[in-house]
Amino acid sequence: MLKVKNLSKVYDGKVAHKALTNIDLTIEEGEFVGIMGPSGSGKSTLLNLVATIDQPTSGSIMVNDKDPLRMKHNELAIFRRRELGFIFQDFNLLPTLTVEENIVLPLTLEGVRVKEMEERVVAVAEKLGITPILKKRIYEISGGQAQRTAIARAIIHRPKMVLADEPTGNLDSKSSRAAMDMMEKINKQDKTTMMMVTHDPVAASYTERVVFIKDGKLFNEIHRGDNRQAF
Ligand code: ADP
Ligand code: ADP
């Protein structure tokens, strides 16, 4: 699903900054992988490269068995929209739209028919336990509900892989577990591959494997056994 080989990223500036050095990482289809490491270690950089919104300085990267470095700009935009789902720390929802309107946004861009959109929203809302709040506006709902809405939006187009950046970073423990329960369910039921950057031991405990990164290098990896006990 993801094959990263010898990947390096140098940010140009007054002083060039090596953010990632010779990263090798393979994520199999259906895996749920956590990326952990201190602030500034290169986690966001790695996620941005996999998200195809930034380009490496050297090395190769295959996302869903395709090579984003060979794609033209508009091909890349379509690839990202169809095959990837994104979940952010601050939810990235449009506050004045309703929950339902936010969830269908990725489908409207794809020109999916209204009836099909409605059916998909009903199903995804049911799965995420947000059916009762579909007509509410984002500013009327809680942080936990907002993150479940964002998860719904991230999977409504049935992406092969979901990339999450600190999904529990703005949530209390109870909402964090609720959000992670949903991500786990999507991973297990839909076989959606998950790559998640996190500082949160609770979030990490849901993964099958955690890759640790420091100073732009991978330095350790924990498989579960049971990460729920490891963290
Ligand atoms: P993390 O997500 O682990 O906090 P980042 O990937 O954001 O780490 O950053 C890794 C390193 O690269 C840091 O030292 C950061 O300051 C630097 N960095 C990140 N983005 C840029 C950029 N656009 N320009 C220059 N340096 C950057
Ligand atoms: P995170 O909390 O995810 O680690 P950061 O606060 O490190 O994110 O970075 C936020 C954004 O700023 C990222 O998109 C990153 O690429 C960019 N950034 C980080 N460090 C630098 C830097 N030294 N120069 C320019 N941009 C940076």
Side-chain angles (χ1 to χ4, degrees):
M1 185 56 42
L2 176 72
K3 214 176 200 52
V4 161
K5 271 199 189 147
N6 215 11
L7 197 72
S8 296
K9 175 71 182 178
V10 179
Y11 288 110
D12 297 322
K14 275 188 193 145
V15 184
H17 184 94
K18 202 154 195 191
L20 290 177
T21 308
N22 302 342
I23 301 283
D24 286 314
L25 175 66
T26 299
I27 297 182
E28 304 293 347
E29 192 168 342
E31 255 199 305
F32 191 166
V33 174
I35 311 286
M36 297 186 90
S39 193
S41 57
K43 304 182 297 296
S44 304
T45 300
L46 180 60
L47 205 68
N48 288 346
L49 294 177
V50 175
T52 74
I53 55 180
D54 197 4
Q55 289 177 355
T57 306
S58 60
S60 68
I61 181 162
M62 296 291 282
V63 185
N64 301 352
D65 300 318
K66 296 187 184 96
D67 185 350
L69 299 177
R70 286 172 178 273
M71 290 182 202
K72 295 198 195 80
H73 188 75
N74 54 346
E75 270 182 294
L76 207 53
I78 293 168
F79 169 76
R80 214 179 284 138
R81 213 159 67 209
R82 294 207 175 140
E83 300 201 17
L84 301 178
F86 297 94
I87 300 172
F88 307 90
Q89 176 169 359
D90 55 6
F91 321 133
N92 269 25
L93 298 165
L94 297 172
T96 59
L97 297 188
T98 66
V99 166
E100 184 170 20
E101 287 163 347
N102 271 277
I103 294 173
V104 298
L105 272 181
L107 297 185
T108 21
L109 289 172
E110 284 295 308
V112 174
R113 291 217 314 266
V114 172
K115 190 161 185 312
E116 161 131 33
M117 279 208 260
E118 284 168 359
E119 286 167 5
R120 286 217 208 168
V121 169
V122 168
V124 85
E126 196 61 36
K127 180 179 270 181
L128 287 153
I130 52 175
T131 306
I133 60 162
L134 278 177
K135 303 293 178 200
K136 290 203 175 180
R137 293 184 191 279
I138 300 305
Y139 61 76
E140 298 175 303
I141 65 177
S142 70
Q145 290 171 332
Q147 194 55 301
R148 278 184 286 147
T149 300
I151 295 171
R153 183 192 50 187
I155 61 161
I156 189 84
H157 59 300
R158 300 172 183 153
K160 293 206 173 98
M161 180 155 65
V162 165
L163 304 175
D165 194 356
E166 299 278 5
T168 61
N170 281 326
L171 302 179
D172 59 35
S173 306
K174 189 159 169 272
S175 305
S176 293
R177 277 190 291 274
M180 293 311 304
D181 285 340
M182 294 305 150
M183 285 180 61
E184 182 173 55
K185 190 165 155 186
I186 292 155
N187 170 250
K188 293 276 176 294
Q189 289 182 357
D190 306 341
K191 313 267 184 278
T192 307
T193 310
M194 301 263 180
M195 177 171 170
M196 171 180 70
V197 165
T198 188
H199 281 108
D200 177 7
V202 172
S205 74
Y206 281 80
T207 65
E208 293 160 337
R209 177 155 72 102
V210 175
V211 172
F212 291 89
I213 178 167
K214 195 179 175 188
D215 300 330
K217 294 178 185 153
L218 298 189
F219 79 100
N220 197 8
E221 196 170 299
I222 294 183
H223 286 259
R224 107 160 148 191
D226 191 352
N227 277 352
R228 233 159 265 199
Q229 283 154 19
F231 290 93

